[in-house]
Amino acid sequence: MPEPSENAGPGGPGLAGQPIGPDGPRARVLVAGATGYAGALAADLVWRHPDLELAALTARSEIGTPLNRLYPRYAVPLELRELDLADLDDVEAAIVAYPHGASAPVVAEMRGRGLVVVDLSADFRLEELPTYERFYGAHGAPDLLDGAVYGLTELEREAVAAAELVANPGCYPTATILALAPLASEGLIEDVVIDAKSGVSGAGRDKGEATAFTTVTENVTAYTPVGHRHRPEIAEKLDRLSPSDAGIESITFVPHLVPLDQGESVSCYVRSGRDVGQDELDRLYEQAYTGEPFIKLCDAPPGMRDVRDSNGCHIQVIAGDDRIVVFAVIDNLWKGASGQAIQNLNLMLGLDETAGLR
Amino acid sequence: MPEPSENAGPGGPGLAGQPIGPDGPRARVLVAGATGYAGALAADLVWRHPDLELAALTARSEIGTPLNRLYPRYAVPLELRELDLADLDDVEAAIVAYPHGASAPVVAEMRGRGLVVVDLSADFRLEELPTYERFYGAHGAPDLLDGAVYGLTELEREAVAAAELVANPGCYPTATILALAPLASEGLIEDVVIDAKSGVSGAGRDKGEATAFTTVTENVTAYTPVGHRHRPEIAEKLDRLSPSDAGIESITFVPHLVPLDQGESVSCYVRSGRDVGQDELDRLYEQAYTGEPFIKLCDAPPGMRDVRDSNGCHIQVIAGDDRIVVFAVIDNLWKGASGQAIQNLNLMLGLDETAGLR
Amino acid sequence: MPEPSENAGPGGPGLAGQPIGPDGPRARVLVAGATGYAGALAADLVWRHPDLELAALTARSEIGTPLNRLYPRYAVPLELRELDLADLDDVEAAIVAYPHGASAPVVAEMRGRGLVVVDLSADFRLEELPTYERFYGAHGAPDLLDGAVYGLTELEREAVAAAELVANPGCYPTATILALAPLASEGLIEDVVIDAKSGVSGAGRDKGEATAFTTVTENVTAYTPVGHRHRPEIAEKLDRLSPSDAGIESITFVPHLVPLDQGESVSCYVRSGRDVGQDELDRLYEQAYTGEPFIKLCDAPPGMRDVRDSNGCHIQVIAGDDRIVVFAVIDNLWKGASGQAIQNLNLMLGLDETAGLR
Amino acid sequence: MPEPSENAGPGGPGLAGQPIGPDGPRARVLVAGATGYAGALAADLVWRHPDLELAALTARSEIGTPLNRLYPRYAVPLELRELDLADLDDVEAAIVAYPHGASAPVVAEMRGRGLVVVDLSADFRLEELPTYERFYGAHGAPDLLDGAVYGLTELEREAVAAAELVANPGCYPTATILALAPLASEGLIEDVVIDAKSGVSGAGRDKGEATAFTTVTENVTAYTPVGHRHRPEIAEKLDRLSPSDAGIESITFVPHLVPLDQGESVSCYVRSGRDVGQDELDRLYEQAYTGEPFIKLCDAPPGMRDVRDSNGCHIQVIAGDDRIVVFAVIDNLWKGASGQAIQNLNLMLGLDETAGLR
């Protein structure tokens, strides 16, 4: 394993003794599953983070390869290694980027050793175990479900700050719930159609012809038009936000693959039970998001490019002729995955929520 | 003006005396407004057409420039010229690719000289003059409205064949109406959300920063989320298809710009008054489109790339959990503009509908 | 296997009795290795060819899949099948798109059964067996080397027309040799640097992360900067063109991967033994290429897009300050592979060289 | 003008009294010409810089528009204003991103008021006035030429640190000179061919059809194959590096436009007077660049994507069969323009050279 001096990040070992913000030494963080797009970015974000120290990178392939060779655009020189319990002794926190199902047992072991964990998989996102089992199969650590906090930071800030296990939301649910939360909380969603578009990195690494350049370029295609796994996640969270007497009749969610790398947008078409004017909409969204460091309310349709390589979410809400239209854009790898993971980890460790994210 | 031998196209002058299909010499066709993307492609399609002869290319800029210099990917060597009445003497037909509003007076003049015309602008698409005036301003030739046929070929084949003036549909209406016609005809559309995506060529030529590479690449952005001009065109035609007792309560149409050149897709989310199963949907769409040379029904979401540079329209219809979902893809410059113009002109001239289109 | 009526192509079985150009029935052609990009395009070109009939499609994977499902953009409804000697009985010609090394034995068998063959692999391109063995390993049918003709059509027209086995040139050699032949023939190349750029389809299908969208987009990278397999092919053919007393001292060839699907360009920087003016260069290239149906000489740098989906090669030659600069662009899948294969097959079968190619 | 509290940047006004690194308050910097790509990025880099304060943004168009509306991906909320001498009173430094020719008079005025200036134009790059005049026309402030330092930071570190006017190098010269300096210094360049590729942002804003998405996508085209303005800049600087007795016989430079936004690469093909092995090359480049914070020596061809949105320059040098091949990649807007401007300004103001750049 590299010497501390090598993996202390740009700050260098000299910083190792510094307080984290006000109250402590740089927290040592392990990133598990760092070969994938989200894990690799998480590792780079920890590496460049002023208050965190990248303790180690683990993976299930590419063992021995330095991350900056696998991803030359990331500076991290650490080599990928197999996960070893011994690695966890001097580690305070972990970001786990394992596939759904494979994550739960690893997280359980880490929790058993006292690490605080942000899990990027779906394993701890759903409150309803039967729903999880229907979409993902048997659960590897159902007993941890109760203690897990759904890390959509803006909506769960206090719970996240107190949590020891945070389930990082899916990319589509992140954009969709941020787009619709102010309406859901007011019981203003009777029926919603969500047309989502995602860049190719959302599909993950090594997916063969499906994500080959020649398949994706000059192309736009819908996929999983019925039964996408993110629909139940969206439905459960929106229902939880809705006033008890106001159920959402219908949620239609259809994702599309678009020819770009990082970026995601949702166009939400909402039918409300009553007329809602632009003024009321503006008021609701300002109440919900004014002062949020990563959310920007726009008066024109936001573009994916506007939030590329940032943890931002840009939102526009419009009182349309027949429906309320809400657009939200994020970078699927940042606010949709690793950026939000750091945002959550910052809160869990008592750091500034925005540390290392701009 | 080039000699006949120069502008007879690949067939060469030797073909000039041949019958059109069964019954006549190659029709001489003028393309007006050939500097734009649609006009230039129309010129190339006429140039390569076995039964048509490109009589002349006119434009309001780039006068004297050969088309194959302005668009090296097109073979047409003819120079762009100013429109001159004298050009029309030996011309039988014209394809007009002028901007909305500028087209009507030119079309009126051509009709006065007996040419059959396919007009790519919106000037003759809407039956309701007040609707036209609200979205496009004063009309330059309202008296021609009655005689104009809306050239969505698959739905208006007989009328097009008998027409002397065809209004070529907009790109979004073409994809949307083909996607929804079988449902509209059965009164199965109570409410529909249409999320449309278009390649950049749909915006037209020379649009400055809005269509600059650096603005569009790595980006997806909605535009004109309320009041897009294609919405009334879609609404009027779908209403006309619907049984008199079944009105469509709500049509929401929102277009998005995606980072590719030619291609367009619509994702249509339909709420019906009653449950409709996959079998019934398949039967409806097969009844409507079996045997259509340019329409393919798919059992997986079609991709824009599948119809690139072709006059095809690929459609999938799905009985979703809450709504009927219909996807349709076209090439906005082909079936969405110049390809359909040739398809219509073929019928107007008594040629095989598919001549020169594959 | 589909009925003849199903696989006669758009022309339909009605054409089956027609002469090929002047002298025969539609030739039945088998395409072997149709899952790859080049093989699939070759199948589509045969399918749409007025004088050829697609007898069958064979592959080593995807057996039973219709080609228009594997590649929805191609119309061919035939299913991929395993190669079976019985398929060859009523087949006159074959286009083989197998990997280097795997092709030779298959071609040998086809030749043994009297088929005329165009081979897209490198197996029969090099005259020097030792050179082949150094770059590709053992040769599967060395005895066929002598009879094979190198199918750079414009330079070998007569030999191709008389050949029964044509080795289709590599994509880079095609563009490079067409760019440099007029200079080589005059002994005007003392030293040449060839900087080549290729779209991703040139890498072939299913290459994993190397050709994943997220790897290639927003990126340009050189590859195989030393020892690329196309260099000896270029060197052997240019040497053959050079006057016996004028050897080429140095050929440097470096390819780059650019973020687009189909397209290839070579920028050639030539040092000559003497001063050569623009007039002399123009004269040399006009002498070489005037009247060539697929070659266009340009007075501005040609763009890859200008020849996309065509069999064209656009060339500009410039008398630079210190060197002669020659640019050539082709579509790597058309003139660089399957288009040129059809061009060669047309000649071998006594058809118009351009049949089915525009 | 915005209140200090508004334009102090993320650090906020609280930082305004802090030392710059060791020795002073945050320097107030004006960015002139902030509507263009380079000026806008320079403004964003100053805005996010820990030791600099963005005093104002000036432009010649878009007056009154906040930069974060013109470029939503940049956070800067300041409005663009006309340049006003009064703005300069409390300003210490300026980054000028004006067009060639327009820059010199503005820079002269700023220098007259004591500002230190980094100029992004070509106006102060060339030592030889006649060369400037031949390529750019009359010079607006020839008397300032002597005092200007050519800001290729790695080669001019001390001079830059002592300079009050720095001419920021062109993007192509930056990549090319960094790629070739170790060879030039040893007199190892007899003849060099430089094949350069640039993303579209290198062409600048609002260039019409030439940089329209539909023109550039799926395309690669050479431009200005003879007489590009960056060639004399490259030649003058390489000559200055060469031992007096070793002249460079020939420099061929040809740029190409590739379909991506930010990124640039140069492939350099060098003929030396003697044989040079890989070991010697590695030693030369390590001597030149070991310890450089922004330069990385690679053992595989670097990709443009590897340095996207960074100030890095990745270089590989190879002892090829006939020539030395050197690849270098940069982000044309960062190391090729605004990133290097900040790197230079940091040195001029006594800050850490890397401040605000990672």
Side-chain angles (χ1 to χ4, degrees), chain A residues 99-124:
Chain A
H100 310 308
S103 191
V106 173
V107 169
E109 181 174 83
M110 292 173 167
R111 290 293 305 121
R113 287 164 163 273
L115 274 67
V116 297
V117 176
V118 177
D119 178 40
L120 293 178
S121 82
D123 288 0
F124 301 98

Side-chain angles (χ1 to χ4, degrees), chain B residues 49-188:
Chain B
H49 197 293
D51 305 320
L52 302 179
E53 180 176 327
L54 186 56
L57 292 178
T58 74
R60 301 179 304 172
S61 64
E62 306 284 349
I63 303 305
T65 308
L67 191 67
N68 62 2
R69 172 169 293 273
L70 194 61
Y71 291 92
R73 68 180 182 265
Y74 296 142
V76 188
L78 304 196
E79 293 180 0
L80 293 156
R81 340 165 28 190
E82 289 182 359
L83 179 59
D84 175 345
L85 306 188
D87 297 337
L88 306 181
D89 290 342
D90 65 347
V91 171
E92 293 171 47
I95 296 174
V96 180
Y98 274 25
H100 310 308
S103 192
V106 173
V107 169
E109 182 174 83
M110 292 173 168
R111 290 293 304 124
R113 289 167 161 269
L115 274 65
V116 298
V117 178
V118 177
D119 178 41
L120 294 178
S121 82
D123 288 1
F124 302 98
R125 292 176 189 161
L126 295 165
E127 291 181 5
E128 299 302 322
L129 184 56
T131 309
Y132 177 90
E133 289 169 339
R134 185 159 70 256
F135 285 84
Y136 298 95
H139 197 293
D143 50 314
L144 291 183
L145 274 181
D146 277 356
V149 170
Y150 187 70
L152 191 47
T153 326
E154 286 72 16
L155 304 182
E156 306 283 351
R157 190 166 276 117
E158 290 67 27
V160 167
E164 296 187 308
L165 170 55
V166 163
N168 219 56
C171 53
Y172 289 127
T174 294
T176 304
I177 298 169
L178 287 174
L180 297 175
L183 299 177
S185 309
E186 293 293 306
L188 288 173

Side-chain angles (χ1 to χ4, degrees), chain D residues 183-189 236-249:
Chain D
L183 299 177
S185 310
E186 292 293 306
L188 288 174
I189 303 177
E236 184 184 83
K237 307 313 173 185
L238 288 180
D239 279 335
R240 221 177 46 171
L241 289 167
S242 303
S244 54
D245 60 339
I248 299 176
E249 286 172 21

Side-chain angles (χ1 to χ4, degrees), chain C residues 4-13 15 26 46-49 52-54:
Chain C
S5 64
E6 290 175 38
N7 61 13
L15 287 180
R26 294 172 86 204
V46 172
W47 179 257
R48 298 192 283 100
H49 196 293
L52 302 179
E53 179 175 329
L54 185 58

